[in-house]
Structure formats: C-alpha cells, structure tokens
Amino acid sequence: MLKKISLLLSVVVLAACNYDLSGAAMVETTEHFNDRGDFYIKVKNQGEEIFTLEVEENVFNLIEVQEEYFISYKSDKDRVGVLETIELK
C-alpha cells in the first residue's frame, strides 16, 4: 500500500511541474530559424526578455525579422513556447 501511495504522489508531483503559462504581448522578432523540421522564432517583449516560440511552417514563412507583432502564446518556465496567434502591429 505504501508503494502505491508513493508512486501516486510521484506522478502528481511530476504532473504539477510540467505546466504551461499563457500570455499575450507586443513583441519584436529578433530571428527565425528551423531545426530538424521544426520552425522557431525568437521574440523580444517590451521588458527586453527574449522568448523562443515554435511556429507552424506556413506562419514561419510570413513572419519578418525586426517587425513588431501582437502575439498570444503558451510557454513553459524555460521561455520556450508555442505561438497561438499573431497579428501585425
């Protein structure tokens, strides 16, 4: 019984550590690149923080570097996330 409780507690703790933060911000793109078929942009928010966001290939092809956009995204605690929406300023 103690092993089951210990295992369940471990699973709950691991699930709690893997959370997403959602946000929206006015950003400037600083670069875009692909890595093994995945497409990414780096953006700088108004607080000068830089985030890396994964984007779809079609969106990647339309994004211009050093352009300002209003975006919404999901991110983890390591400043790596997924772009949800994007609008030109």
Side-chain angles (χ1 to χ4, degrees), residues 8 16-19 22 30 53 61 63 73 82:
L8 180 60
C17 291
N18 188 18
Y19 62 91
S22 293
T30 59
L53 300 172
N61 292 327
I63 294 174
Y73 60 93
V82 176

Side-chain angles (χ1 to χ4, degrees), residues 29-43 52-67 69 71 82-86:
T29 55
T30 59
E31 68 177 283
H32 63 330
F33 59 95
N34 72 43
D35 182 27
R36 299 181 197 137
D38 294 325
F39 298 87
Y40 299 92
I41 59 172
K42 286 197 176 188
V43 296
T52 302
L53 300 172
E54 186 174 356
V55 299
E56 294 179 10
E57 182 178 5
N58 292 337
V59 175
F60 177 84
N61 292 327
L62 296 173
I63 294 174
E64 299 287 331
V65 176
Q66 296 182 344
E67 192 69 54
Y69 296 95
I71 64 167
V82 176
L83 182 70
E84 291 188 314
T85 63
I86 185 166

Side-chain angles (χ1 to χ4, degrees), residues 10 13 24 31 35 38 48 74-75 78 84 88:
S10 297
V13 169
E31 68 177 283
D35 182 27
D38 294 325
E48 302 294 316
K74 284 190 175 183
S75 179
D78 294 327
E84 291 188 314
L88 190 58

